[in-house]
Amino acid sequence: MIEHSSTADGMAVKAILFDLDNTLIETSRAGEVALKKTSEFLKTTLGLDDTTVCTICDKFKQKLFHESFDCSAGQTIDDVRAHHWEESIKETVGNCSTPSLPAQCYNMWKSSRLELLTLSPQVCNLLKQLRSRYKLLLLTNGVAQTQREKVATAGCEEFFDAIVIAGEHKEQKPFPSIFRLCFSMLEVEALDCVMVGDSLDTDIQGGLNAGVRATVWINSAGGGASEKPDYTITTVLELPDILAQLQ
């Protein structure tokens, strides 16, 4: 379903900026599947009941959600996330008798998640279709290593004119500076561009801050409507209908 708020009149769209996670790839779903696989491993390894394993996994999810990573601190994101598992296990059942278990949990969760982070055939076809008419740029927030791994696993490079990992720069979405970098790379102006993403706080607000022609919010969860985006769709596959209205 497509919902329309309002948009500015202007020239034809020349470029589309896409978010990655939960816009082009189903990161949340992949994370849940990976967590379930890791929980089964924990049950088998430690002989724990479902409730206890669920508590460990919930703690890991919370640590992941509130994660703060500083690459200058001398640790990798892999170190930090393995430590999330170590703390989650320790806080739930006490010290682990198998020192390597947290790293095993992290590696299983990470590899299982990455396996599922693929562009669907429908999304690939959409991007090929759009690239014949528009310049395409992938703009994703997050830790540089993690996002680069997702981009490589999903095979995104062939579908975009440029890829910007905001974690490699001073400011990420929704700051205008990262959008200005994107406009410069594509040799376009803000009003030439459409921003597409699932986050109202980073993708949509960022597009508004940068002054793009239109913002398109992917409300895949089917939650409440918002007046912030110019357009609301439930899947990126509905994007061509929006673009047809902007010509």
Side-chain angles (χ1 to χ4, degrees), residues 202-228:
T202 58
D203 302 318
I204 304 308
Q205 189 60 54
L208 295 172
N209 293 346
V212 298
R213 168 80 184 281
T215 55
V216 182
W217 179 41
I218 299 179
N219 184 18
S220 58
S226 171
E227 295 182 359
K228 184 180 288 188

Side-chain angles (χ1 to χ4, degrees), residues 114-125:
L114 278 174
E115 285 175 6
L116 296 171
L117 295 181
T118 59
L119 298 172
S120 71
Q122 294 89 344
V123 169
C124 290
N125 288 336

Side-chain angles (χ1 to χ4, degrees), residues 53-68:
V53 169
C54 185
T55 299
I56 294 172
C57 291
D58 284 345
K59 285 180 178 292
F60 172 76
K61 284 173 64 176
Q62 285 301 308
K63 293 177 191 299
L64 197 65
F65 182 76
H66 295 290
E67 183 176 82
S68 178

